[in-house]
Amino acid sequence: MDFLAPLSGIAAVVVPVFLIAALGFGWKRAKLPYDSAFITTFAINVSTPCLVFSSLVRLTLGGEELLTMAAASVGCMLLAGLLATPLLLAFRLPLRVYLPALSFPNGGNMGIPVCLFAFGETGLGLAVLFFAALAVLQFTIGPALAAGRTDVAQVLRTPVIYAVAVAVIVLLTGIQPPQWVTNTTTLLGNCAVPLMLLSLGVALAGLRMQGILRSLAMSALRIVLGFLSGLAIVHLLGLQGTIRGVVLLQSTMPVAVFNYLWALRYNNAPEEVAGMVLGSTAMAFLALPLLLLAVM
């Protein structure tokens, strides 16, 4: 039954992502103890930076390839934003509410696990690199779009940025970190993926979809714009193989949960953004098998 092999490969990627996120969703709905503040803080400040560092230092990419991947990440986000802007203006929808959500994909707690299961350790490292560039923009341009200003202090308090900087120095200089450093960061980094997926499920369980039709339309637009932007960037940069697959997967991810947090913080119609997070995540799960067929 060779025709079942592609389905088996896709199920190996989709099912773990879905089940762990569903576990978080069900946990929240069952009102079981879940310290979201601690887990989110730990994931953002400890496990994710360790995952970024430990994954990047294991990469065998050269400096040119690192720059290419970072450029692809930035290009996907900027192109999605550029494509979304005239559409939002034409329909007289506020840019401060919708533009961040349409520009920034969920490259962390959904994109990283998907790329890990699809492409193994190499995919994980490349996905982390994509996410690192995404995180820098999301903590600079994201709040700037939502609030109309840049919060430099927030950027300087983002540990992922320092993890990326140290990892890049290690890669470019060829310095070998002590074994205890790599073992510790690897161990802590291994917590990141399940915590990301659990947190995604918990966050989705707490959201409510309002304005269903518009939320669904904007959710579909995020998926379409992300895929088209990724397709354009991989063609423009001439990317092939695993790098191409990772860029397409990451770029097509649904609306990042952080967009909801920024909308909530700056009172930019958070219920609308919550609907986009919920709707686009559901659509991404449905579209993931087809997307995986296209990239694997």
Side-chain angles (χ1 to χ4, degrees), residues 6-7 10-11 14 283-296:
L7 294 178
I10 291 170
V14 176
M283 290 180 183
F285 273 120
L286 294 174
L288 196 52
L290 292 177
L291 184 59
L292 289 168
L293 276 177
V295 302
M296 291 180 68

Side-chain angles (χ1 to χ4, degrees), residues 27-58:
W27 196 277
K28 175 72 173 180
R29 288 290 187 173
K31 298 182 179 179
L32 295 172
Y34 188 91
D35 193 339
S36 294
F38 166 74
I39 291 175
T40 301
T41 302
F42 179 80
I44 291 174
N45 294 301
V46 180
S47 63
T48 300
C50 286
L51 175 66
V52 168
F53 177 82
S54 61
S55 299
L56 291 183
V57 295
R58 290 198 301 266

Side-chain angles (χ1 to χ4, degrees), residues 44-273:
I44 291 174
N45 294 301
V46 180
S47 63
T48 300
C50 286
L51 175 66
V52 168
F53 177 82
S54 61
S55 299
L56 291 183
V57 295
R58 290 198 301 266
L59 288 178
T60 57
L61 300 177
E64 183 178 347
E65 292 168 306
L66 290 172
L67 289 175
T68 298
M69 193 61 188
S73 175
V74 173
C76 287
M77 286 174 277
L78 293 182
L79 184 55
L82 288 174
L83 292 174
T85 298
L87 294 174
L88 294 174
L89 292 175
F91 287 96
R92 297 182 179 180
L93 295 172
L95 295 179
R96 289 177 62 178
V97 174
Y98 295 104
L99 189 56
L102 292 173
S103 301
F104 298 114
N106 192 349
N109 52 9
M110 188 167 177
I112 287 177
V114 168
C115 292
L116 168 63
F117 296 132
F119 298 109
E121 286 295 321
T122 301
L124 171 64
L126 292 171
V128 165
L129 187 57
F130 187 104
F131 170 69
L134 164 63
V136 172
L137 291 186
Q138 198 165 33
F139 279 91
T140 53
I141 297 177
L145 289 173
R149 58 183 174 81
T150 300
D151 189 347
V152 177
Q154 179 67 55
V155 177
L156 295 177
R157 291 195 299 268
T158 306
V160 168
I161 295 175
Y162 299 105
V164 172
V166 174
V168 169
I169 290 172
V170 169
L171 286 173
L172 295 181
T173 60
I175 296 173
Q176 292 296 322
Q179 191 66 41
W180 63 267
V181 171
T182 55
N183 286 348
T184 302
T185 55
T186 299
L187 191 61
L188 288 169
N190 287 340
C191 303
V193 170
L195 285 179
M196 285 176 178
L197 289 174
L198 281 171
S199 297
L200 174 63
V202 168
L204 292 177
L207 300 180
R208 297 291 183 272
M209 186 176 290
Q210 300 183 17
I212 293 177
L213 290 180
R214 182 158 63 184
S215 292
L216 289 177
M218 299 301 284
S219 297
L221 183 61
R222 157 87 281 268
I223 302 296
V224 171
L225 289 181
F227 180 73
L228 293 177
S229 299
L231 206 58
I233 293 299
V234 297
H235 178 73
L236 180 65
L237 298 178
L239 303 182
Q240 298 294 330
T242 300
I243 293 182
R244 176 182 182 275
V246 168
V247 170
L248 282 174
L249 285 174
Q250 286 283 55
S251 183
T252 315
M253 287 297 104
V255 177
V257 179
F258 260 115
N259 292 307
Y260 167 68
L261 300 179
W262 295 134
L264 189 64
R265 179 175 180 178
Y266 297 109
N267 197 29
N268 286 334
E271 67 283 351
E272 294 277 348
V273 181

